Protein backbone atom coordinates (compact mmCIF):
# COMPACT_ATOMS: atom_id res chain seq x y z
CA UNK A 1 0.00 0.00 0.00
CA UNK A 2 1.32 3.48 -0.82
CA UNK A 3 0.29 7.01 -0.02
CA UNK A 4 0.06 9.02 -3.22
CA UNK A 5 1.83 12.34 -3.43
CA UNK A 6 -1.40 14.10 -4.18
CA UNK A 7 -3.04 12.69 -1.06
CA UNK A 8 -0.14 13.58 1.21
CA UNK A 9 0.94 17.00 0.00
CA UNK A 10 -1.78 19.14 1.65
CA UNK A 11 -0.74 18.02 5.11
CA UNK A 12 1.95 19.90 7.04
CA UNK A 13 3.59 16.60 7.93
CA UNK A 14 2.23 13.59 6.10
CA UNK A 15 3.31 10.01 6.28
CA UNK A 16 2.21 6.57 5.25
CA UNK A 17 3.26 4.40 8.15
CA UNK A 18 3.48 0.69 8.69
CA UNK A 19 4.27 -1.08 11.94
CA UNK A 20 7.00 -3.69 11.76
CA UNK A 21 5.72 -7.13 10.95
CA UNK A 22 8.79 -9.05 9.85
CA UNK A 23 10.96 -11.18 12.11
CA UNK A 24 10.09 -9.07 15.14
CA UNK A 25 7.27 -10.19 17.40
CA UNK A 26 5.25 -7.15 18.47
CA UNK A 27 3.08 -6.95 21.56
CA UNK A 28 0.17 -4.55 21.07
CA UNK A 29 -1.20 -2.58 23.97
CA UNK A 30 -4.13 -1.07 22.07
CA UNK A 31 -7.55 -1.65 23.63
CA UNK A 32 -8.88 -2.51 20.19
CA UNK A 33 -7.82 -5.84 18.70
CA UNK A 34 -9.17 -4.80 15.31
CA UNK A 35 -7.00 -1.68 15.37
CA UNK A 36 -3.94 -3.79 16.13
CA UNK A 37 -4.74 -6.19 13.30
CA UNK A 38 -5.16 -3.34 10.86
CA UNK A 39 -1.83 -1.90 11.96
CA UNK A 40 -0.08 -5.23 11.42
CA UNK A 41 -1.58 -5.61 7.97
CA UNK A 42 -0.45 -2.14 6.92
CA UNK A 43 -4.01 -1.19 5.95
CA UNK A 44 -4.37 1.64 8.42
CA UNK A 45 -2.39 4.79 7.52
CA UNK A 46 -1.01 6.91 10.34
CA UNK A 47 -0.90 10.67 9.86
CA UNK A 48 2.03 12.06 11.83
CA UNK A 49 0.54 15.53 12.27
CA UNK A 50 -2.44 14.19 14.25
CA UNK A 51 -1.41 14.01 17.90
CA UNK A 52 -3.06 13.86 21.30
CA UNK A 53 -2.41 15.65 24.54
CA UNK A 54 -0.97 12.56 26.15
CA UNK A 55 -4.10 11.78 28.17
CA UNK A 56 -6.40 10.51 25.48
CA UNK A 57 -7.73 13.91 24.41
CA UNK A 58 -7.67 15.39 20.92
CA UNK A 59 -7.87 19.11 21.78
CA UNK A 60 -4.47 19.69 20.28
CA UNK A 61 -3.50 22.56 18.03
CA UNK A 62 -2.50 26.17 17.96
CA UNK A 63 0.61 28.07 18.94
CA UNK A 64 2.30 27.69 22.32
CA UNK A 65 2.93 30.52 24.77
CA UNK A 66 4.19 31.06 28.30
CA UNK A 67 3.52 33.61 31.01
CA UNK A 68 5.35 34.66 34.16
CA UNK A 69 2.21 33.51 35.96
CA UNK A 70 2.70 29.94 34.68
CA UNK A 71 6.31 29.62 35.84
CA UNK A 72 6.46 27.47 38.96
CA UNK A 73 8.98 27.71 41.75
CA UNK A 74 10.88 24.44 41.70
CA UNK A 75 12.38 22.60 44.62
CA UNK A 76 16.03 21.70 44.52
CA UNK A 77 17.51 18.45 43.26
CA UNK A 78 19.89 16.73 45.69
CA UNK A 79 23.13 18.67 46.12
CA UNK A 80 22.41 21.41 43.60
CA UNK A 81 25.35 23.38 42.27
CA UNK A 82 24.53 25.97 43.62
CA UNK A 83 20.90 26.47 44.81
CA UNK A 84 18.78 28.10 42.16
CA UNK A 85 15.39 29.52 41.32
CA UNK A 86 14.58 29.16 37.64
CA UNK A 87 11.73 31.59 37.08
CA UNK A 88 12.51 35.16 35.99
CA UNK A 89 11.94 38.15 38.29
CA UNK A 90 8.53 39.77 38.27
CA UNK A 91 7.98 42.42 35.63
CA UNK A 92 7.28 46.04 36.56
CA UNK A 93 4.67 45.97 33.79
CA UNK A 94 1.58 43.79 33.97
CA UNK A 95 2.08 42.48 30.42
CA UNK A 96 5.13 41.99 28.21
CA UNK A 97 5.68 44.23 25.23
CA UNK A 98 5.68 42.72 21.75
CA UNK A 99 9.01 42.34 20.05
CA UNK A 100 9.95 44.73 17.26
CA UNK A 101 12.86 44.20 14.91
CA UNK A 102 15.88 46.46 15.44
CA UNK A 103 16.39 49.52 13.27
CA UNK A 104 17.85 48.46 9.87
CA UNK A 105 20.34 51.30 10.29
CA UNK A 106 21.93 49.56 13.30
CA UNK A 107 25.42 48.15 12.71
CA UNK A 108 25.45 44.55 11.53
CA UNK A 109 27.04 42.45 14.24
CA UNK A 110 29.45 39.84 12.87
CA UNK A 111 29.82 36.65 14.90
CA UNK A 112 33.23 35.06 14.39
CA UNK A 113 34.87 31.79 15.55
CA UNK A 114 36.61 31.83 18.91
CA UNK A 115 39.75 30.20 17.54
CA UNK A 116 40.32 32.97 14.99
CA UNK A 117 39.04 36.25 16.47
CA UNK A 118 42.10 37.21 18.51
CA UNK A 119 42.75 38.26 22.08
CA UNK A 120 41.18 41.73 21.85
CA UNK A 121 37.85 40.36 20.68
CA UNK A 122 37.79 37.65 23.35
CA UNK A 123 38.71 40.22 25.99
CA UNK A 124 35.45 42.00 25.18
CA UNK A 125 33.44 38.82 25.71
CA UNK A 126 35.31 38.24 28.98
CA UNK A 127 34.51 41.77 30.13
CA UNK A 128 30.83 41.38 29.15
CA UNK A 129 30.56 38.23 31.28
CA UNK A 130 32.29 40.00 34.17
CA UNK A 131 29.83 42.91 33.94
CA UNK A 132 26.85 40.55 33.87
CA UNK A 133 28.19 38.64 36.88
CA UNK A 134 28.63 41.91 38.77
CA UNK A 135 24.94 42.83 38.47
CA UNK A 136 22.69 41.94 41.42
CA UNK A 137 20.80 38.66 41.05
CA UNK A 138 17.51 40.54 40.97
CA UNK A 139 18.53 42.31 37.75
CA UNK A 140 17.04 40.40 34.79
CA UNK A 141 20.18 41.22 32.75
CA UNK A 142 22.51 39.56 35.27
CA UNK A 143 24.44 36.44 34.37
CA UNK A 144 22.53 34.64 37.13
CA UNK A 145 19.17 35.45 35.55
CA UNK A 146 20.38 34.80 32.01
CA UNK A 147 21.46 31.31 33.08
CA UNK A 148 18.10 30.73 34.73
CA UNK A 149 16.29 31.30 31.43
CA UNK A 150 17.56 27.94 30.21
CA UNK A 151 16.57 26.33 33.49
CA UNK A 152 13.02 27.71 33.32
CA UNK A 153 12.32 26.67 29.73
CA UNK A 154 14.10 23.33 29.91
CA UNK A 155 13.04 21.70 33.19
CA UNK A 156 9.27 22.00 33.16
CA UNK A 157 9.13 25.18 35.26
CA UNK A 158 6.98 26.91 32.63
CA UNK A 159 3.50 25.63 31.83
CA UNK A 160 1.50 26.17 28.65
CA UNK A 161 -0.75 29.20 29.12
CA UNK A 162 -3.82 27.54 27.58
CA UNK A 163 -3.11 24.16 29.17
CA UNK A 164 -1.54 24.84 32.59
CA UNK A 165 -1.54 21.13 33.38
CA UNK A 166 1.11 20.61 30.65
CA UNK A 167 4.79 21.52 30.64
CA UNK A 168 6.56 23.80 28.15
CA UNK A 169 9.95 22.19 27.45
CA UNK A 170 11.60 23.61 24.34
CA UNK A 171 13.96 20.70 23.71
CA UNK A 172 12.90 17.52 21.87
CA UNK A 173 10.78 19.52 19.41
CA UNK A 174 10.67 22.08 16.60
CA UNK A 175 11.33 24.88 19.14
CA UNK A 176 14.97 23.91 19.72
CA UNK A 177 16.55 26.23 17.14
CA UNK A 178 14.26 29.30 17.36
CA UNK A 179 14.21 29.40 21.17
CA UNK A 180 17.99 29.36 21.43
CA UNK A 181 18.31 31.95 18.67
CA UNK A 182 16.03 34.32 20.58
CA UNK A 183 17.92 33.55 23.79
CA UNK A 184 21.28 34.50 22.26
CA UNK A 185 19.80 37.58 20.57
CA UNK A 186 18.86 39.12 23.91
CA UNK A 187 22.03 37.91 25.62
CA UNK A 188 24.14 39.54 22.91
CA UNK A 189 22.30 42.85 23.06
CA UNK A 190 22.54 42.97 26.85
CA UNK A 191 26.29 42.35 26.59
CA UNK A 192 26.65 45.08 23.96
CA UNK A 193 24.70 47.54 26.11
CA UNK A 194 26.82 46.85 29.19
CA UNK A 195 30.01 47.18 27.15
CA UNK A 196 28.84 50.37 25.47
CA UNK A 197 29.68 48.83 22.08
CA UNK A 198 26.60 48.56 19.82
CA UNK A 199 28.38 46.34 17.29
CA UNK A 200 29.54 43.72 19.81
CA UNK A 201 28.77 40.17 18.65
CA UNK A 202 29.03 36.85 20.42
CA UNK A 203 31.84 34.57 19.30
CA UNK A 204 31.00 31.01 18.29
CA UNK A 205 32.81 27.81 19.23
CA UNK A 206 33.24 26.12 15.84
CA UNK A 207 33.69 22.52 17.03
CA UNK A 208 32.50 21.29 13.62
CA UNK A 209 35.68 22.41 11.82
CA UNK A 210 39.16 20.99 12.57
CA UNK A 211 40.67 24.29 13.74
CA UNK A 212 37.88 24.77 16.27
CA UNK A 213 37.62 21.24 17.70
CA UNK A 214 39.20 22.07 21.04
CA UNK A 215 37.92 23.97 24.03
CA UNK A 216 39.11 27.54 23.48
CA UNK A 217 42.05 28.23 25.83
CA UNK A 218 40.46 31.45 27.10
CA UNK A 219 37.88 29.31 28.92
CA UNK A 220 40.55 27.20 30.65
CA UNK A 221 42.18 30.15 32.45
CA UNK A 222 41.20 29.75 36.10
CA UNK A 223 41.58 33.49 36.77
CA UNK A 224 39.15 34.49 33.99
CA UNK A 225 35.40 35.17 34.31
CA UNK A 226 35.06 32.68 31.43
CA UNK A 227 36.32 29.84 33.59
CA UNK A 228 33.90 27.32 35.11
CA UNK A 229 35.35 24.87 37.65
CA UNK A 230 32.44 22.51 37.04
CA UNK A 231 33.76 21.00 33.82
CA UNK A 232 35.44 17.76 32.82
CA UNK A 233 39.11 18.33 33.73
CA UNK A 234 40.21 15.82 31.08
CA UNK A 235 38.80 17.95 28.29
CA UNK A 236 40.83 21.09 28.75
CA UNK A 237 42.93 22.18 25.79
CA UNK A 238 44.46 20.59 23.78
CA UNK A 239 41.91 17.72 23.99
CA UNK A 240 39.84 17.31 20.83
CA UNK A 241 36.06 17.41 21.11
CA UNK A 242 34.39 14.03 20.62
CA UNK A 243 31.05 14.60 18.86
CA UNK A 244 30.07 11.05 19.79
CA UNK A 245 31.04 11.29 23.46
CA UNK A 246 29.25 8.92 25.80
CA UNK A 247 31.20 9.26 29.03
CA UNK A 248 34.14 7.06 28.07
CA UNK A 249 37.36 8.43 26.65
CA UNK A 250 38.29 7.13 23.20
CA UNK A 251 41.77 6.03 22.19
CA UNK A 252 41.55 7.61 18.74
CA UNK A 253 44.37 9.59 17.24
CA UNK A 254 43.72 13.26 16.51
CA UNK A 255 43.36 12.44 12.82
CA UNK A 256 40.80 9.71 13.57
CA UNK A 257 38.84 11.96 15.93
CA UNK A 258 38.64 14.77 13.38
CA UNK A 259 37.46 12.30 10.75
CA UNK A 260 34.84 10.90 13.14
CA UNK A 261 33.59 14.42 13.97
CA UNK A 262 33.31 15.45 10.32
CA UNK A 263 31.42 12.28 9.40
CA UNK A 264 29.08 12.83 12.33
CA UNK A 265 28.41 16.35 11.09
CA UNK A 266 27.69 15.10 7.57
CA UNK A 267 25.12 12.63 8.85
CA UNK A 268 23.39 15.17 11.09
CA UNK A 269 23.43 18.07 8.61
CA UNK A 270 22.91 16.20 5.32
CA UNK A 271 22.10 12.49 5.40
CA UNK A 272 19.59 12.55 8.25
CA UNK A 273 18.36 16.14 7.79
CA UNK A 274 16.46 15.92 4.51
CA UNK A 275 13.20 17.41 5.85
CA UNK A 276 12.30 20.24 8.25
CA UNK A 277 10.95 17.89 10.93
CA UNK A 278 14.07 15.71 10.72
CA UNK A 279 16.38 18.70 11.24
CA UNK A 280 14.32 20.92 13.54
CA UNK A 281 12.40 18.28 15.47
CA UNK A 282 8.78 17.23 15.65
CA UNK A 283 5.81 19.61 15.88
CA UNK A 284 4.84 20.59 19.43
CA UNK A 285 1.44 22.26 19.62
CA UNK A 286 -0.76 23.69 22.37
CA UNK A 287 -2.43 20.92 24.35
CA UNK A 288 0.20 18.36 23.43
CA UNK A 289 2.58 16.69 25.86
CA UNK A 290 6.13 17.97 25.46
CA UNK A 291 9.14 16.14 23.96
CA UNK A 292 7.52 14.77 20.77
CA UNK A 293 10.91 14.16 19.15
CA UNK A 294 14.25 15.98 18.66
CA UNK A 295 15.94 16.92 15.41
CA UNK A 296 19.29 15.66 14.24
CA UNK A 297 21.62 18.39 15.50
CA UNK A 298 19.97 18.51 18.92
CA UNK A 299 20.84 14.86 19.58
CA UNK A 300 24.36 15.17 18.26
CA UNK A 301 26.49 17.28 18.25
CA UNK A 302 24.48 19.51 20.61
CA UNK A 303 23.87 17.01 23.40
CA UNK A 304 27.24 15.32 23.04
CA UNK A 305 29.17 18.61 23.32
CA UNK A 306 27.15 19.49 26.43
CA UNK A 307 28.08 16.16 28.02
CA UNK A 308 31.70 16.32 26.82
CA UNK A 309 32.08 19.70 28.55
CA UNK A 310 30.29 18.95 31.83
CA UNK A 311 31.89 17.25 34.82
CA UNK A 312 31.30 13.56 34.20
CA UNK A 313 32.24 12.79 37.82
CA UNK A 314 29.02 14.47 39.02
CA UNK A 315 25.70 12.63 39.02
CA UNK A 316 24.01 15.13 36.69
CA UNK A 317 27.20 16.11 34.78
CA UNK A 318 26.89 19.77 35.79
CA UNK A 319 27.22 22.44 34.65
CA UNK A 320 27.00 21.99 30.89
CA UNK A 321 25.87 18.38 31.01
CA UNK A 322 22.36 18.97 32.34
CA UNK A 323 19.60 21.42 31.45
CA UNK A 324 19.07 23.21 34.77
CA UNK A 325 22.67 24.38 35.10
CA UNK A 326 24.04 24.53 31.52
CA UNK A 327 23.60 28.32 31.21
CA UNK A 328 25.93 28.91 34.16
CA UNK A 329 28.97 28.06 32.06
CA UNK A 330 30.14 31.03 29.92
CA UNK A 331 31.04 28.45 27.26
CA UNK A 332 27.33 27.69 26.82
CA UNK A 333 26.80 30.85 24.76
CA UNK A 334 29.60 30.33 22.16
CA UNK A 335 28.46 26.69 21.98
CA UNK A 336 24.92 27.74 21.13
CA UNK A 337 26.14 30.49 18.84
CA UNK A 338 27.62 27.70 16.74
CA UNK A 339 24.36 25.77 16.93
CA UNK A 340 22.63 28.91 15.63
CA UNK A 341 25.18 29.11 12.80
CA UNK A 342 24.39 25.51 11.82
CA UNK A 343 20.75 26.46 11.26
CA UNK A 344 21.95 29.03 8.73
CA UNK A 345 24.38 26.49 7.24
CA UNK A 346 21.60 23.91 6.78
CA UNK A 347 19.50 26.41 4.85
CA UNK A 348 22.51 27.55 2.82
CA UNK A 349 23.36 23.96 1.86
CA UNK A 350 19.81 23.50 0.66
CA UNK A 351 19.95 26.60 -1.50
CA UNK A 352 23.41 25.99 -2.98
CA UNK A 353 23.36 22.19 -3.37
CA UNK A 354 19.76 21.63 -4.36
CA UNK A 355 18.49 19.90 -1.20
CA UNK A 356 14.85 20.89 -1.53
CA UNK A 357 13.90 19.81 1.99
CA UNK A 358 16.30 22.26 3.66
CA UNK A 359 13.63 24.87 4.33
CA UNK A 360 11.88 25.99 7.48
CA UNK A 361 8.32 25.20 8.48
CA UNK A 362 5.53 27.50 7.34
CA UNK A 363 3.07 26.15 9.90
CA UNK A 364 1.41 29.02 11.85
CA UNK A 365 1.48 26.90 15.01
CA UNK A 366 5.29 27.16 14.81
CA UNK A 367 5.57 30.71 13.53
CA UNK A 368 3.16 32.21 16.08
CA UNK A 369 4.48 30.43 19.18
CA UNK A 370 6.35 32.72 21.56
CA UNK A 371 8.84 32.97 24.42
CA UNK A 372 9.54 35.57 27.11
CA UNK A 373 12.84 37.40 27.60
CA UNK A 374 14.09 40.59 29.21
CA UNK A 375 15.87 42.95 26.82
CA UNK A 376 18.85 45.28 27.31
CA UNK A 377 16.53 47.91 28.82
CA UNK A 378 15.15 45.39 31.37
CA UNK A 379 11.80 45.28 29.57
CA UNK A 380 9.85 42.02 29.43
CA UNK A 381 9.42 41.09 25.75
CA UNK A 382 7.33 38.47 23.99
CA UNK A 383 9.05 37.23 20.83
CA UNK A 384 7.64 34.74 18.33
CA UNK A 385 9.36 32.08 16.24
CA UNK A 386 8.45 34.09 13.15
CA UNK A 387 10.40 37.05 14.54
CA UNK A 388 13.74 35.22 14.49
CA UNK A 389 13.87 33.59 11.04
CA UNK A 390 15.99 36.28 9.35
CA UNK A 391 19.34 36.99 11.02
CA UNK A 392 20.00 40.06 8.88
CA UNK A 393 16.78 41.63 10.14
CA UNK A 394 18.00 40.81 13.64
CA UNK A 395 21.20 42.68 12.61
CA UNK A 396 23.80 39.94 12.87
CA UNK A 397 25.55 37.41 10.64
CA UNK A 398 28.22 34.70 10.83
CA UNK A 399 31.68 34.80 9.30
CA UNK A 400 35.01 33.05 9.43
CA UNK A 401 34.69 29.28 8.77
CA UNK A 402 33.57 26.93 6.04
CA UNK A 403 31.73 23.62 6.09
CA UNK A 404 34.38 20.90 5.65
CA UNK A 405 31.89 18.22 6.69
CA UNK A 406 30.12 18.63 3.34
CA UNK A 407 32.82 16.39 1.86
CA UNK A 408 32.78 13.85 4.72
CA UNK A 409 30.17 11.41 3.42
CA UNK A 410 30.92 8.23 5.42
CA UNK A 411 32.22 5.10 3.69
CA UNK A 412 30.51 1.72 3.74
CA UNK A 413 31.97 -1.40 5.35
CA UNK A 414 31.79 -4.73 3.55
CA UNK A 415 30.64 -8.06 5.00
CA UNK A 416 29.01 -6.82 8.20
CA UNK A 417 25.50 -8.22 7.76
CA UNK A 418 25.93 -11.99 7.53
CA UNK A 419 24.00 -14.81 9.21
CA UNK A 420 20.51 -13.33 8.98
CA UNK A 421 19.22 -16.86 9.55
CA UNK A 422 20.38 -16.56 13.17
CA UNK A 423 18.03 -13.65 13.90
CA UNK A 424 15.87 -14.21 16.96
CA UNK A 425 12.34 -13.06 17.61
CA UNK A 426 12.16 -9.70 19.38
CA UNK A 427 9.27 -8.67 21.59
CA UNK A 428 8.30 -5.01 21.89
CA UNK A 429 8.20 -2.98 24.05
CA UNK A 430 11.69 -3.84 25.28
CA UNK A 431 14.35 -2.69 27.72
CA UNK A 432 17.50 -2.11 25.72
CA UNK A 433 20.08 -3.70 27.99
CA UNK A 434 21.79 -5.70 25.23
CA UNK A 435 22.25 -5.53 21.46
CA UNK A 436 18.97 -6.11 19.60
CA UNK A 437 18.64 -6.82 15.87
CA UNK A 438 15.37 -6.74 13.94
CA UNK A 439 14.75 -7.43 10.27
CA UNK A 440 12.21 -4.91 9.04
CA UNK A 441 10.11 -5.47 5.95
CA UNK A 442 9.82 -2.27 3.92
CA UNK A 443 6.18 -1.58 3.01
CA UNK A 444 7.26 -0.21 -0.34
CA UNK A 445 10.50 -0.06 -2.30
CA UNK A 446 10.96 3.39 -3.82
CA UNK A 447 12.12 2.68 -7.34
CA UNK A 448 12.49 5.89 -9.30
CA UNK A 449 14.47 9.05 -8.65
CA UNK A 450 11.20 10.94 -8.76
CA UNK A 451 9.73 8.77 -5.99
CA UNK A 452 12.80 9.28 -3.81
CA UNK A 453 12.73 13.03 -4.32
CA UNK A 454 9.03 13.15 -3.47
CA UNK A 455 9.17 11.04 -0.30
CA UNK A 456 11.72 10.34 2.40
CA UNK A 457 11.77 6.83 3.85
CA UNK A 458 12.24 7.13 7.61
CA UNK A 459 12.83 4.69 10.42
CA UNK A 460 10.89 5.84 13.50
CA UNK A 461 11.90 4.66 16.96
CA UNK A 462 8.91 5.40 19.17
CA UNK A 463 8.27 5.38 22.88
CA UNK A 464 11.90 5.97 23.86
CA UNK A 465 11.62 6.17 27.63
CA UNK A 466 14.27 6.96 30.24
CA UNK A 467 13.93 7.72 33.94
CA UNK A 468 15.94 10.94 33.70
CA UNK A 469 18.50 9.99 36.37
CA UNK A 470 21.43 9.72 33.95
CA UNK A 471 22.45 10.45 30.40
CA UNK A 472 21.38 7.82 27.87
CA UNK A 473 22.89 6.87 24.54
CA UNK A 474 22.29 4.09 22.04
CA UNK A 475 23.38 3.66 18.44
CA UNK A 476 21.32 2.57 15.44
CA UNK A 477 22.99 0.48 12.75
CA UNK A 478 21.41 -0.46 9.44
CA UNK A 479 22.38 -3.66 7.60
CA UNK A 480 25.24 -4.32 10.01
CA UNK A 481 24.53 -7.28 12.27
CA UNK A 482 28.27 -7.42 12.93
CA UNK A 483 28.23 -3.75 13.95
CA UNK A 484 31.53 -3.98 15.80
CA UNK A 485 33.28 -4.37 12.42
CA UNK A 486 31.91 -1.10 11.03
CA UNK A 487 34.61 1.41 10.18
CA UNK A 488 34.88 4.45 12.44
CA UNK A 489 31.65 6.43 11.88
CA UNK A 490 30.95 4.21 8.88
CA UNK A 491 27.80 4.52 6.82
CA UNK A 492 26.09 1.64 8.58
CA UNK A 493 26.00 3.68 11.80
CA UNK A 494 22.78 5.40 10.82
CA UNK A 495 22.37 7.55 13.91
CA UNK A 496 22.66 7.85 17.69
CA UNK A 497 20.13 8.74 20.36
CA UNK A 498 21.70 10.90 23.07
CA UNK A 499 19.80 12.41 25.99
CA UNK A 500 21.08 14.47 28.91
CA UNK A 501 20.00 13.64 32.45
CA UNK A 502 16.70 15.14 33.63
CA UNK A 503 16.88 15.45 37.43
CA UNK A 504 13.49 16.01 39.01
CA UNK A 505 13.59 19.36 40.74
CA UNK A 506 11.75 18.25 43.86
CA UNK A 507 14.52 17.05 46.14
CA UNK A 508 13.66 13.36 45.79
CA UNK A 509 16.79 12.35 43.89
CA UNK A 510 14.67 10.85 41.14
CA UNK A 511 14.60 11.89 37.51
CA UNK A 512 11.89 13.34 35.30
CA UNK A 513 10.58 10.65 32.97
CA UNK A 514 11.57 11.42 29.38
CA UNK A 515 9.39 9.86 26.69
CA UNK A 516 10.12 10.83 23.13
CA UNK A 517 10.87 9.46 19.66
CA UNK A 518 13.68 9.50 17.10
CA UNK A 519 13.79 9.44 13.31
CA UNK A 520 16.50 8.16 10.96
CA UNK A 521 16.34 9.07 7.25
CA UNK A 522 16.88 6.09 4.94
CA UNK A 523 16.85 7.31 1.32
CA UNK A 524 20.51 8.27 0.98
CA UNK A 525 21.65 5.63 3.47
CA UNK A 526 20.08 2.71 1.58
CA UNK A 527 21.44 4.07 -1.69
CA UNK A 528 24.96 4.17 -0.25
CA UNK A 529 24.59 0.61 1.05
CA UNK A 530 23.29 -0.59 -2.35
CA UNK A 531 20.19 -1.73 -0.48
CA UNK A 532 17.55 0.62 -1.87
CA UNK A 533 16.03 -2.27 -3.85
CA UNK A 534 15.91 -4.71 -0.93
CA UNK A 535 12.60 -5.78 0.56
CA UNK A 536 13.93 -5.69 4.14
CA UNK A 537 16.22 -3.58 6.30
CA UNK A 538 18.15 -4.98 9.25
CA UNK A 539 18.14 -2.62 12.23
CA UNK A 540 20.57 -3.16 15.12
CA UNK A 541 20.17 -1.19 18.36
CA UNK A 542 23.34 -0.98 20.47
CA UNK A 543 23.11 0.37 24.05
CA UNK A 544 26.04 2.59 25.03
CA UNK A 545 25.07 4.25 28.32
CA UNK A 546 22.12 4.32 30.68
CA UNK A 547 18.80 2.52 30.86
CA UNK A 548 16.19 2.95 28.14
CA UNK A 549 12.94 1.36 27.03
CA UNK A 550 11.63 1.33 23.45
CA UNK A 551 7.97 0.81 22.62
CA UNK A 552 8.12 0.11 18.89
CA UNK A 553 9.81 0.62 15.54
CA UNK A 554 8.14 1.50 12.26
CA UNK A 555 8.95 2.71 8.76
CA UNK A 556 7.22 5.78 7.33
CA UNK A 557 7.26 7.64 4.03
CA UNK A 558 7.22 11.37 4.63
CA UNK A 559 6.38 14.40 2.52
CA UNK A 560 6.74 17.90 3.94
Amino acid sequence: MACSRGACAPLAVAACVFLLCAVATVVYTSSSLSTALLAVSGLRPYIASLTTNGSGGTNVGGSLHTSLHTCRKPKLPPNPLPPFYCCPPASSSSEPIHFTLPDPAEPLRVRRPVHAVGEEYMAKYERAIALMKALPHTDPRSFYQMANIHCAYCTGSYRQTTHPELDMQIHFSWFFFPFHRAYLYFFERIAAKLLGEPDFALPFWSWDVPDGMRMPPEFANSSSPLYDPVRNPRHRPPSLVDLGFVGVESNRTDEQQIQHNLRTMYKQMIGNAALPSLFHGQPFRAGQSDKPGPGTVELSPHNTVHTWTGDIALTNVENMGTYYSAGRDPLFYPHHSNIDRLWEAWREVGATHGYRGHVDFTDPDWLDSSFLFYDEESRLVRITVGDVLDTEKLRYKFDGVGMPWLDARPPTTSNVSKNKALLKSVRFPLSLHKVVTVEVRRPQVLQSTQEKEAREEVLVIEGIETDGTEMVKFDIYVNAMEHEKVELSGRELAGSYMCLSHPRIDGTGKGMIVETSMRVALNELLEDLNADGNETVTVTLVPRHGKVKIRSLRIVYMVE
Side-chain angles (χ1 to χ4, degrees), residues 330-507:
L331 193 52
F332 171 92
Y333 304 94
H335 169 49
H336 269 279
S337 188
N338 199 46
I339 293 289
D340 192 35
R341 167 185 154 259
L342 292 179
W343 182 4
E344 292 300 290
W346 178 74
R347 295 195 291 198
E348 180 183 339
V349 166
T352 59
H353 289 73
Y355 294 110
R356 294 188 296 173
H358 287 225
V359 293
D360 294 328
F361 298 103
T362 57
D363 191 321
D365 285 359
W366 187 64
L367 295 172
D368 296 339
S369 291
S370 67
F371 318 106
L372 294 175
F373 296 93
Y374 280 94
D375 68 7
E376 65 272 23
E377 304 297 339
S378 299
R379 298 173 299 189
L380 185 64
V381 179
R382 183 176 299 282
I383 187 170
T384 68
V385 171
D387 289 328
V388 302
L389 299 186
D390 189 327
T391 62
E392 186 170 344
K393 290 182 179 179
L394 294 173
R395 304 308 297 151
Y396 75 90
K397 70 174 185 176
F398 295 94
D399 192 22
V401 298
M403 295 180 281
W405 36 263
L406 276 175
D407 300 319
R409 191 162 177 162
T412 60
T413 312
S414 59
N415 300 320
V416 292
S417 195
K418 300 178 180 178
N419 302 320
K420 284 188 177 182
L422 300 179
L423 278 169
K424 297 180 180 180
S425 177
V426 177
R427 183 180 294 271
F428 286 91
L430 59 81
S431 295
L432 190 63
H433 53 80
K434 63 180 180 180
V435 176
V436 171
T437 299
V438 178
E439 188 172 13
V440 182
R441 182 165 297 280
R442 299 167 66 197
Q444 181 188 8
V445 176
L446 301 180
Q447 299 286 357
S448 67
T449 300
Q450 184 178 6
E451 284 180 312
K452 295 174 183 177
E453 289 180 350
R455 285 176 283 179
E456 184 71 29
E457 188 169 353
V458 178
L459 173 69
V460 183
I461 306 167
E462 281 209 311
I464 301 173
E465 183 178 317
T466 67
D467 65 9
T469 58
E470 60 183 338
M471 67 176 179
V472 170
K473 185 174 188 284
F474 64 86
D475 294 332
I476 303 97
Y477 288 83
V478 168
N479 288 3
M481 290 183 62
E482 298 172 274
H483 64 89
E484 64 280 355
K485 296 181 181 179
V486 172
E487 186 177 342
L488 179 66
S489 300
R491 201 66 183 104
E492 294 80 6
L493 176 56
S496 299
Y497 175 83
M498 173 69 186
C499 179
L500 307 182
S501 66
H502 264 61
R504 186 184 296 172
I505 308 177
D506 60 4

Side-chain angles (χ1 to χ4, degrees), residues 181-198:
R181 173 168 288 181
Y183 189 0
L184 293 190
Y185 171 83
F186 288 105
F187 186 96
E188 184 174 71
R189 292 181 71 88
I190 289 170
K193 180 76 172 183
L194 293 174
L195 288 169
E197 299 195 25

Side-chain angles (χ1 to χ4, degrees), residues 66-76 83-91 136-159 167-168 183 323-324 328 372-374 380 505:
T66 52
S67 164
L68 294 187
H69 303 298
T70 65
C71 192
R72 302 172 300 167
K73 180 179 180 180
K75 295 181 180 179
L76 305 180
F84 64 92
Y85 172 55
C86 295
C87 296
S91 172
H137 285 186
T138 54
D139 192 319
R141 305 168 302 157
S142 69
F143 190 78
Y144 175 85
Q145 292 294 350
M146 295 304 297
N148 280 347
I149 291 171
H150 199 257
C151 180
Y153 271 105
C154 309
T155 63
S157 292
Y158 271 119
R159 294 300 185 100
D167 290 343
M168 175 60 168
Y183 189 0
Y323 294 109
Y324 87 85
R328 298 174 184 169
L372 294 175
F373 296 93
Y374 280 94
L380 185 64
I505 308 177

